[in-house]
Amino acid sequence: MLEPLEEKTYILNLGPQHPSTHGVLRVVLEMEGEFIVKADPDIGYGHRGHEHMAENRNYLQFLPNMGRVDYLHALAFNHGYCMAVEKLIGLEVPERAEFIRVITAELNRIASHLLWVGAYLLDLGAFTPFLYCFDDRENILDLLDRITGSRLTYCFYRFGGVPQDIDQEFIDGCRAFAKRLRRRWKDYDNLVTKNIIFIERTKGIGVITKEQCRLYGLTGPMARGSGIPYDIRKSEPYSAYPLFDFEIPIGENGDIMDRYLVRMREMEQSLRIIEQALDKLPNGPIMAEKVPKRIKPAAGEVYAAVETARGEFGCYIVSQGDVKPYRIKLRVPSFANLSILPEISRDTLVADFVAILGSIDVVVPEIDR
Amino acid sequence: MLSENIKKALGPLGLEKVAPGDYAKTGYHLEVAAAPNQMPAVAQVMRDQGCFLESLTALHFREHFTLVYHFAHYEELCRTVVKAVLPLGQQAPTISHIYPGANWYEREVYDLFGIRFTGHPDLRRILLPFEADFHPLLKQFEEEAEKSETKADA
Amino acid sequence: MIKIGLLEEALNLARANSLWPMTFGLACCAIEMMAAGAARFDLDRFGAGVFRPSPRQCDLMIVAGTISKKMAPAVVRLWEQMPAPKWVIAMGNCAISGGPFYYPTQYAIVPGADLIIPVDVYVPGCPPRPEGLIEGILMLEEKITKRGRLRKFRDVK
C-alpha cells in the first residue's frame, strides 16, 4: 500500500526568467495543487545601485540615471528629480518650460500605458493587441524622438527648464496623434474591453480593498482602481497641472478590470491635458535665467513627488552643502505596489496569479533601483 | 485640518519635536522627531489618522543612523516626516505589524544599511543576493575611504 | 570530426535565417527588443521574430540590459540550457561593458556579458534603437553563414 505523502504543498519557482514577470522578477510560490498558499516575491535581480551611484556623482551627473530607473515613464522621473533639485536650490522654472514638461510627460504616460496594455494582454495570451499598442506607441516615440533625441531612456529636463524648444511640427504631430488615438479607442474596446475571455479573466480577480491600499501604501492606478482618487497631479499639484481641466478616473471594485479601465481612461485624460497645454502654450524662455553652473545646494533636505504611470514617485534628497548629494532616496511606486502581492494572491490559481502580477504593472529595475 | 489633528494626537506621546514644516522649501507639512522606540506608537497614531506610509529610509552619519519615515494622506494634502535618531549598532522596533507595507521597506533598510528591526517577521536581504556580506549604502568614513581609493588606483 | 561541407553550409543558411531568440529581458533594452519584434520593425522579416519563452527552444540569446550580480548565475544557467548551436547578442552598453552603471565602487552589476558567457555580436547604444538590433542580427547571420545581406552594402566603396 502506498504511504500518503506527508507534505501537502510543493514549491513552484516562477522566474527570474519568465515571460510574464515583466523582466527579472522571481516569485517563489508555495502551492497546494493548483492553488497558491503563499507567494514570496524575490526582487533585486535588476538592482543597479542607483542610490549608491547618486552619492558618488554630482547632481547633474545623476540626471541621466533618472531615465533608466523607470524607463517606461522616464520623463516623470526626470521631472521629479529636477523638481526636487530646483526646490533645493530655489530655482524658478519659466512657464513655457513647465508646459513643455507637461506635454512630453503626458505623451510618455500614454506610451507607458499602451505598452502595459500590450504586454499585459500578451501575458493573458492575446498577441494582437500587442501589435496594435506598439503601433500607436511608435507614433509617440517618433514625436518625442524629434525633440528629446531618444526613444526610451529620456534625459530631457534640466534644472531650470528644458534644453530644447518644441516647434510647430511637434505641435501638429501631437494634435494628429490625439486624433488618431481617439479613433483607436473603438478598436481597443472591441478587441479587448468587450472581449469575453478578457472579462472572464479579470472581473473579480485580484481584488484590493481601500484599507489594504492604505496599509501597503499603494499609489497610482492600483489605488485608483480601488476607488481612491489619489493622483499627485490633483492632490499635490505641481508644474503646470493646476492650469488644466482633467479628471481622475477611479474604479469601484478594485479588481483587475478596474485597474485596466482606469489606465485606459487615463490615456484619454492625458490627451485632454496635452491638447489644453498646446492651446494655452505661452511664449517665453524655456530655461531659467540664473542657473548655476555648479550646483552646490546649502545643507538641507527636500521631498518632491510626481505622478508617474505607476504611481507616486518621491525624490528625497539630503544635501550637506556638497556638490554631491549626501543621500538620494527614490520612493518608487512599484515597490509598494508589489509588496501587496503575497496578500492578494493567496488562494488563487496560478493562471490568475499571472493576471494579478501583470495588473500591478511592475517595472523591475524600478523596484530594484 | 489634518496636520492639526495629527499634532494633537501626537501630543500625549511626548515626542522630541512636532513642528509645522516649510512646505514650499522641503515638501513637508509637519516635521516630527521621535526616538526609535516611540515609532510603533507614532505609526499607530498615523494609521488612526488615515495616513499611509509613503517611504521609509535611513541616513548614515558618523555617529548615528537617522531613520526617516514619510507619511501622506489620500484625501488631504499633508506630508509628515518622522525622524528617529538611532545610535550605531542598536536595533529599532519594527512598525510592520501596524503598516504591513513597512515590511519590505524595513528589509530594504536592513539590506542597504544593516539596521536590524526587532520584531520584524522576516528580516532577510531583499535587493542584494542573500549571500552578500556588505551593506552598500553605509558611508565609508575616512580610513575606509582611503583604503578603497588606493585599491581603485592599484 | 567529419565535416560535411555542403550540408553544413545549407544547415547554416537555414539556421541563420530562422534564429529563434529567447524572451529574455533584463532592463531598458528589453523594451527596444520588444519594439523590434512588434508592428513597425517586425523582426519576422529576418526570420528572427519567433520569441520563445523557454531556453530549450532557442538558439539566440539577446542579453538586453544590465546583468546584476544576483542575476548573473541565472544568465549562465539559461545559456547552458540552450541547445547548441547557440549564439549570444550583447544588446546595449550595459551588456557590453556595464555601460553607465559601471564606476570604481559599483557593487551590484557584472560589467559585461562577455565576462560570464561568450558573446558573438555587440550592439552598442543606451538603449540601441530597434534598427541597431536588426543590424546586429544581420551581422550574426553573416557570421553564421559567412555570407550575408549586409555585405553587399558594406563593400560598396
Side-chain angles (χ1 to χ4, degrees), chain A residues 214, chain B residues 1-10 43-52 73 99:
Chain A
R214 196 165 68 81
Chain B
M1 277 297 284
L2 186 64
S3 64
E4 292 300 313
N5 291 347
I6 294 174
K7 228 169 150 180
K8 222 177 278 168
L10 286 176
Q44 189 62 49
V45 168
M46 300 310 287
R47 183 177 158 172
D48 293 341
Q49 293 294 325
C51 296
F52 68 93
H73 198 272
Y99 281 105

mmCIF file of all heavy atoms in Angstrom, chain A residues 214, chain B residues 1-10 43-52 73 99:
data_model
loop_
_atom_site.group_PDB
_atom_site.id
_atom_site.type_symbol
_atom_site.label_atom_id
_atom_site.label_comp_id
_atom_site.label_asym_id
_atom_site.label_seq_id
_atom_site.Cartn_x
_atom_site.Cartn_y
_atom_site.Cartn_z
ATOM 1 N N ARG A 214 -4.248 51.426 1.733
ATOM 2 C CA ARG A 214 -3.656 52.358 2.686
ATOM 3 C C ARG A 214 -2.551 51.698 3.496
ATOM 4 O O ARG A 214 -1.504 52.280 3.725
ATOM 5 C CB ARG A 214 -4.750 52.892 3.614
ATOM 6 C CG ARG A 214 -4.358 54.122 4.378
ATOM 7 C CD ARG A 214 -5.581 54.776 4.954
ATOM 8 N NE ARG A 214 -6.189 53.958 5.990
ATOM 9 C CZ ARG A 214 -5.738 53.920 7.245
ATOM 10 N NH1 ARG A 214 -4.709 54.645 7.599
ATOM 11 N NH2 ARG A 214 -6.342 53.169 8.143
ATOM 12 N N MET B 1 -8.395 70.570 9.913
ATOM 13 C CA MET B 1 -7.071 70.396 9.283
ATOM 14 C C MET B 1 -6.383 69.146 9.797
ATOM 15 O O MET B 1 -6.285 68.918 10.995
ATOM 16 C CB MET B 1 -6.188 71.611 9.588
ATOM 17 C CG MET B 1 -6.426 72.774 8.646
ATOM 18 S SD MET B 1 -6.025 72.361 6.937
ATOM 19 C CE MET B 1 -4.240 72.429 7.009
ATOM 20 N N LEU B 2 -5.905 68.361 8.853
ATOM 21 C CA LEU B 2 -5.297 67.089 9.232
ATOM 22 C C LEU B 2 -4.016 67.290 10.032
ATOM 23 O O LEU B 2 -3.780 66.603 11.024
ATOM 24 C CB LEU B 2 -5.025 66.279 7.968
ATOM 25 C CG LEU B 2 -4.521 64.870 8.196
ATOM 26 C CD1 LEU B 2 -5.553 64.031 8.910
ATOM 27 C CD2 LEU B 2 -4.161 64.218 6.879
ATOM 28 N N SER B 3 -3.208 68.272 9.633
ATOM 29 C CA SER B 3 -1.927 68.430 10.324
ATOM 30 C C SER B 3 -2.161 68.829 11.784
ATOM 31 O O SER B 3 -1.430 68.417 12.674
ATOM 32 C CB SER B 3 -1.060 69.455 9.606
ATOM 33 O OG SER B 3 -1.653 70.716 9.650
ATOM 34 N N GLU B 4 -3.249 69.599 12.020
ATOM 35 C CA GLU B 4 -3.586 69.951 13.402
ATOM 36 C C GLU B 4 -3.993 68.710 14.191
ATOM 37 O O GLU B 4 -3.573 68.513 15.338
ATOM 38 C CB GLU B 4 -4.727 70.976 13.416
ATOM 39 C CG GLU B 4 -4.350 72.338 12.862
ATOM 40 C CD GLU B 4 -3.223 72.988 13.641
ATOM 41 O OE1 GLU B 4 -3.289 72.986 14.884
ATOM 42 O OE2 GLU B 4 -2.268 73.461 12.997
ATOM 43 N N ASN B 5 -4.816 67.885 13.538
ATOM 44 C CA ASN B 5 -5.276 66.657 14.206
ATOM 45 C C ASN B 5 -4.106 65.756 14.569
ATOM 46 O O ASN B 5 -4.054 65.192 15.658
ATOM 47 C CB ASN B 5 -6.229 65.886 13.287
ATOM 48 C CG ASN B 5 -7.537 66.619 13.107
ATOM 49 O OD1 ASN B 5 -7.814 67.564 13.849
ATOM 50 N ND2 ASN B 5 -8.316 66.206 12.124
ATOM 51 N N ILE B 6 -3.189 65.613 13.596
ATOM 52 C CA ILE B 6 -2.038 64.747 13.860
ATOM 53 C C ILE B 6 -1.230 65.308 15.021
ATOM 54 O O ILE B 6 -0.809 64.583 15.914
ATOM 55 C CB ILE B 6 -1.169 64.622 12.593
ATOM 56 C CG1 ILE B 6 -1.946 63.891 11.491
ATOM 57 C CG2 ILE B 6 0.118 63.882 12.895
ATOM 58 C CD1 ILE B 6 -1.234 63.846 10.178
ATOM 59 N N LYS B 7 -1.070 66.626 14.994
ATOM 60 C CA LYS B 7 -0.303 67.282 16.047
ATOM 61 C C LYS B 7 -0.927 67.006 17.410
ATOM 62 O O LYS B 7 -0.251 66.660 18.374
ATOM 63 C CB LYS B 7 -0.312 68.793 15.791
ATOM 64 C CG LYS B 7 1.056 69.438 15.891
ATOM 65 C CD LYS B 7 0.941 70.843 15.356
ATOM 66 C CE LYS B 7 1.913 71.770 16.004
ATOM 67 N NZ LYS B 7 1.797 73.122 15.469
ATOM 68 N N LYS B 8 -2.267 67.110 17.421
ATOM 69 C CA LYS B 8 -2.972 66.898 18.683
ATOM 70 C C LYS B 8 -2.817 65.441 19.136
ATOM 71 O O LYS B 8 -2.578 65.149 20.306
ATOM 72 C CB LYS B 8 -4.461 67.237 18.484
ATOM 73 C CG LYS B 8 -5.049 68.024 19.652
ATOM 74 C CD LYS B 8 -6.486 68.389 19.382
ATOM 75 C CE LYS B 8 -6.632 69.629 18.518
ATOM 76 N NZ LYS B 8 -8.022 69.817 18.031
ATOM 77 N N ALA B 9 -2.954 64.535 18.165
ATOM 78 C CA ALA B 9 -2.897 63.116 18.516
ATOM 79 C C ALA B 9 -1.498 62.704 18.955
ATOM 80 O O ALA B 9 -1.333 61.791 19.758
ATOM 81 C CB ALA B 9 -3.337 62.275 17.324
ATOM 82 N N LEU B 10 -0.491 63.376 18.398
ATOM 83 C CA LEU B 10 0.874 63.021 18.766
ATOM 84 C C LEU B 10 1.268 63.634 20.104
ATOM 85 O O LEU B 10 2.253 63.226 20.717
ATOM 86 C CB LEU B 10 1.859 63.486 17.687
ATOM 87 C CG LEU B 10 1.899 62.694 16.387
ATOM 88 C CD1 LEU B 10 2.841 63.345 15.404
ATOM 89 C CD2 LEU B 10 2.320 61.251 16.625
ATOM 90 N N ALA B 43 3.491 55.393 14.584
ATOM 91 C CA ALA B 43 2.875 54.768 13.408
ATOM 92 C C ALA B 43 1.413 54.461 13.677
ATOM 93 O O ALA B 43 0.563 54.623 12.801
ATOM 94 C CB ALA B 43 3.638 53.497 13.050
ATOM 95 N N GLN B 44 1.117 54.021 14.913
ATOM 96 C CA GLN B 44 -0.276 53.724 15.250
ATOM 97 C C GLN B 44 -1.126 54.989 15.149
ATOM 98 O O GLN B 44 -2.232 54.955 14.605
ATOM 99 C CB GLN B 44 -0.336 53.138 16.669
ATOM 100 C CG GLN B 44 -1.700 52.589 17.053
ATOM 101 C CD GLN B 44 -2.137 51.434 16.163
ATOM 102 O OE1 GLN B 44 -1.367 50.501 15.945
ATOM 103 N NE2 GLN B 44 -3.337 51.509 15.604
ATOM 104 N N VAL B 45 -0.596 56.104 15.620
ATOM 105 C CA VAL B 45 -1.331 57.369 15.520
ATOM 106 C C VAL B 45 -1.562 57.730 14.059
ATOM 107 O O VAL B 45 -2.672 58.090 13.653
ATOM 108 C CB VAL B 45 -0.551 58.499 16.242
ATOM 109 C CG1 VAL B 45 -1.143 59.853 15.903
ATOM 110 C CG2 VAL B 45 -0.573 58.271 17.734
ATOM 111 N N MET B 46 -0.518 57.592 13.252
ATOM 112 C CA MET B 46 -0.645 57.951 11.841
ATOM 113 C C MET B 46 -1.669 57.051 11.163
ATOM 114 O O MET B 46 -2.443 57.490 10.326
ATOM 115 C CB MET B 46 0.700 57.818 11.116
ATOM 116 C CG MET B 46 1.810 58.674 11.657
ATOM 117 S SD MET B 46 1.365 60.393 11.877
ATOM 118 C CE MET B 46 1.326 60.960 10.217
ATOM 119 N N ARG B 47 -1.665 55.789 11.541
ATOM 120 C CA ARG B 47 -2.625 54.869 10.938
ATOM 121 C C ARG B 47 -4.042 55.251 11.352
ATOM 122 O O ARG B 47 -4.963 55.230 10.545
ATOM 123 C CB ARG B 47 -2.312 53.443 11.372
ATOM 124 C CG ARG B 47 -3.224 52.442 10.726
ATOM 125 C CD ARG B 47 -2.882 51.030 11.097
ATOM 126 N NE ARG B 47 -4.049 50.197 10.880
ATOM 127 C CZ ARG B 47 -4.032 48.884 10.958
ATOM 128 N NH1 ARG B 47 -2.935 48.246 11.243
ATOM 129 N NH2 ARG B 47 -5.131 48.201 10.738
ATOM 130 N N ASP B 48 -4.223 55.617 12.614
ATOM 131 C CA ASP B 48 -5.549 56.017 13.073
ATOM 132 C C ASP B 48 -6.014 57.293 12.388
ATOM 133 O O ASP B 48 -7.205 57.508 12.194
ATOM 134 C CB ASP B 48 -5.537 56.233 14.593
ATOM 135 C CG ASP B 48 -5.308 54.925 15.338
ATOM 136 O OD1 ASP B 48 -5.523 53.872 14.712
ATOM 137 O OD2 ASP B 48 -4.899 54.960 16.502
ATOM 138 N N GLN B 49 -5.057 58.147 12.017
ATOM 139 C CA GLN B 49 -5.420 59.397 11.343
ATOM 140 C C GLN B 49 -5.682 59.178 9.853
ATOM 141 O O GLN B 49 -5.994 60.120 9.131
ATOM 142 C CB GLN B 49 -4.307 60.432 11.503
ATOM 143 C CG GLN B 49 -4.113 60.917 12.931
ATOM 144 C CD GLN B 49 -5.301 61.706 13.430
ATOM 145 O OE1 GLN B 49 -5.929 62.429 12.673
ATOM 146 N NE2 GLN B 49 -5.632 61.549 14.695
ATOM 147 N N GLY B 50 -5.501 57.966 9.367
ATOM 148 C CA GLY B 50 -5.811 57.675 7.970
ATOM 149 C C GLY B 50 -4.668 57.908 7.010
ATOM 150 O O GLY B 50 -4.881 57.995 5.808
ATOM 151 N N CYS B 51 -3.457 58.014 7.533
ATOM 152 C CA CYS B 51 -2.318 58.228 6.642
ATOM 153 C C CYS B 51 -1.786 56.900 6.124
ATOM 154 O O CYS B 51 -2.059 55.840 6.687
ATOM 155 C CB CYS B 51 -1.200 58.947 7.376
ATOM 156 S SG CYS B 51 -1.656 60.593 7.895
ATOM 157 N N PHE B 52 -1.036 56.957 5.043
ATOM 158 C CA PHE B 52 -0.335 55.761 4.584
ATOM 159 C C PHE B 52 1.164 56.016 4.623
ATOM 160 O O PHE B 52 1.611 57.155 4.603
ATOM 161 C CB PHE B 52 -0.796 55.332 3.188
ATOM 162 C CG PHE B 52 -0.420 56.261 2.070
ATOM 163 C CD1 PHE B 52 0.750 56.059 1.344
ATOM 164 C CD2 PHE B 52 -1.232 57.317 1.714
ATOM 165 C CE1 PHE B 52 1.090 56.900 0.305
ATOM 166 C CE2 PHE B 52 -0.889 58.164 0.684
ATOM 167 C CZ PHE B 52 0.263 57.964 -0.022
ATOM 168 N N HIS B 73 -1.349 61.346 3.066
ATOM 169 C CA HIS B 73 -2.772 61.046 3.206
ATOM 170 C C HIS B 73 -3.422 61.054 1.829
ATOM 171 O O HIS B 73 -3.059 61.856 0.986
ATOM 172 C CB HIS B 73 -3.426 62.089 4.123
ATOM 173 C CG HIS B 73 -4.743 61.650 4.660
ATOM 174 N ND1 HIS B 73 -5.911 61.857 4.000
ATOM 175 C CD2 HIS B 73 -5.070 60.996 5.802
ATOM 176 C CE1 HIS B 73 -6.917 61.360 4.705
ATOM 177 N NE2 HIS B 73 -6.429 60.824 5.801
ATOM 178 N N TYR B 99 1.834 48.857 9.834
ATOM 179 C CA TYR B 99 1.752 49.033 8.383
ATOM 180 C C TYR B 99 2.412 47.823 7.720
ATOM 181 O O TYR B 99 3.641 47.737 7.701
ATOM 182 C CB TYR B 99 2.492 50.289 7.950
ATOM 183 C CG TYR B 99 1.749 51.567 8.174
ATOM 184 C CD1 TYR B 99 2.098 52.421 9.200
ATOM 185 C CD2 TYR B 99 0.705 51.926 7.340
ATOM 186 C CE1 TYR B 99 1.424 53.603 9.406
ATOM 187 C CE2 TYR B 99 0.023 53.105 7.536
ATOM 188 C CZ TYR B 99 0.383 53.945 8.565
ATOM 189 O OH TYR B 99 -0.286 55.105 8.752
#
